[in-house]
Amino acid sequence: MKTLKGPAIFLAQFIGTEAPFDKLDTIAKWAADLGYVGVQMPTGGPDSLFDVETAAESQAYCDDIAGVLAQHGLQITELSTHLQGQLVAVHPAYDELFDGFAPEAVRGKPKERQAWAVHQVKAGARASQRLGLAAHATFSGALAWPYFYPWPQRPAGLVEEAFAELGRRWKPILDVFDECGVDACYEIHPGEDLHDGATFERFLDEVGGHPRANILYDPSHFVLQQLDYLDFIDRYHERIRAFHVKDAEFRPNGRSGVYGGYQGWVDRPGRFRSLGDGQVDFGAIFSKLAAYDYPGWAVLEWECALKHPEDGAREGAPFIRDHIIRVTPHAFDDFAGSGADAATNRRLLGL
């Protein structure tokens, strides 16, 4: 059995225009000084510090990036194409909102935007291979999400066709991940068509149980849905290949519940919190992942309605480190073993 790796931090919520968050070298030093040993690297957005298309084609570029991080005792855990994955499948109702995820040249052009996104995610697979990574973090996108609540009554076949199309779009991408020996890990997330176990199973059916279609597990999204995040691990542990350590709480009242009443994050009954400030039972999660021999990293994704991000990052490294279970190489009661062989076992059974 393997000991889970970490602590690591997803840089997406921290990269910015001010020091030390504006350059790879300085943000790496900041993360290392906090106690992190890995970084999950975003590849989309205007302030991205990583060019995924260059990385897909240039081993020298990948070696340079890895070298900068190694100087601070860090390594890349996974690359992320969350923003680009979202654009693989966009319902027209969200076209204008999601255009901001894409370069200006393809905004207002859904077909061109989708083609750009597909190219980017495939580049993410090739870049991951060059970096020697086993897993990649992404979103599935969504075609059926506007219809998630069954009113008005959905016409027969609507959801089935949405998932069939999602499968058609992702199957060639997953084949590239397979060629590269990298798992595509979909973050199970509201707003995506893959937002719970049932929808992941639908998708898996549409891509023929593709071996590279896997899961980025983030329990905070399950708290907000009131889904059993521990049972989820029992059901889908074989497909969990990435892990966001993120806390959340759900405190419903007589005014609003799971849907949130269109309120801001501070006022919603379900909201994300910094590690240790919410309701997630991380002791149980880390125990289950250790028992199921989870092969990857524990990566802080900081999102909190209240706490300053730098405080959340500072507290996150020791929180994760203290929850990682160093897996024992032997059984606790081996000291009492009496020693046996096949003949002894048969005698003990009276055979």
Side-chain angles (χ1 to χ4, degrees), residues 261-315:
Y262 297 114
Q263 298 174 100
W265 280 111
V266 170
D267 299 317
R268 295 173 69 93
R271 57 188 187 175
F272 302 125
R273 299 300 309 273
S274 286
L275 291 184
D277 294 343
Q279 298 170 337
V280 175
D281 185 350
F282 284 105
I285 288 173
F286 277 82
S287 294
K288 280 187 177 291
L289 291 176
Y292 285 124
D293 208 18
Y294 166 69
W297 286 81
V299 180
L300 168 73
E301 183 183 28
W302 177 88
E303 291 179 346
C304 184
L306 299 174
K307 186 170 285 185
H308 193 284
E310 292 180 42
D311 292 339
R314 175 177 49 79
E315 295 169 0

